[in-house]
Amino acid sequence: IVEIRSVRVGVVAIKSVHTGFYLAMNRKGKLYGTREYNPNCKFKERIEENGYNTYASLRWRHEGRQMFLALNGKGAPRQGGKTRRQHLSTHFLPILVS
């Protein structure tokens, strides 16, 4: 379970409820967790036409293209430079948990 916090309009930070770590992406597009909130933790949130959300690194780009948060079929993170907005692996459906 993760908590999606709004940083400013269209920009979010993603934090694990269990561990308290923030999700971050480095310049190579690798996802990692950090206890300290920093500029690598900011993601641009976009609601797609199909109702799903995509999250792109606000700070880093790969060859001019956005790097997206994505998971493969086994739930492991994908390298940011190999992701595109159209890939289904980048589409997430946030659900409210109380």
Side-chain angles (χ1 to χ4, degrees):
I1 297 175
V2 294
E3 184 178 80
I4 300 173
R5 294 182 175 187
S6 178
V7 176
R8 63 177 199 252
V9 177
V11 178
V12 298
I14 302 170
K15 184 178 181 181
S16 169
V17 173
H18 181 68
T19 64
F21 279 71
Y22 286 95
L23 185 65
M25 185 181 286
N26 67 15
R27 75 174 59 225
K28 294 181 179 180
K30 185 174 179 180
L31 291 172
Y32 66 97
T34 178
R35 283 217 182 266
E36 302 293 324
Y37 176 78
N38 62 58
N40 289 347
C41 300
K42 294 180 184 177
F43 291 90
K44 198 181 318 179
E45 181 181 47
R46 179 177 172 182
I47 300 171
E48 300 295 332
E49 298 81 23
N50 61 5
Y52 287 84
N53 291 9
T54 56
Y55 301 93
S57 174
L58 187 66
R59 187 172 190 192
W60 305 114
R61 290 179 165 268
H62 177 72
E63 297 177 358
R65 291 192 304 258
Q66 292 180 315
M67 293 194 290
F68 291 89
L69 172 64
L71 300 176
N72 68 16
K74 295 182 180 180
R78 292 187 62 201
Q79 191 78 18
K82 297 180 180 180
T83 61
R84 303 286 181 274
R85 174 176 280 127
Q86 300 81 11
H87 291 167
L88 294 179
S89 62
T90 64
H91 293 195
F92 295 90
L93 189 60
I95 299 171
L96 290 175
V97 178
S98 50

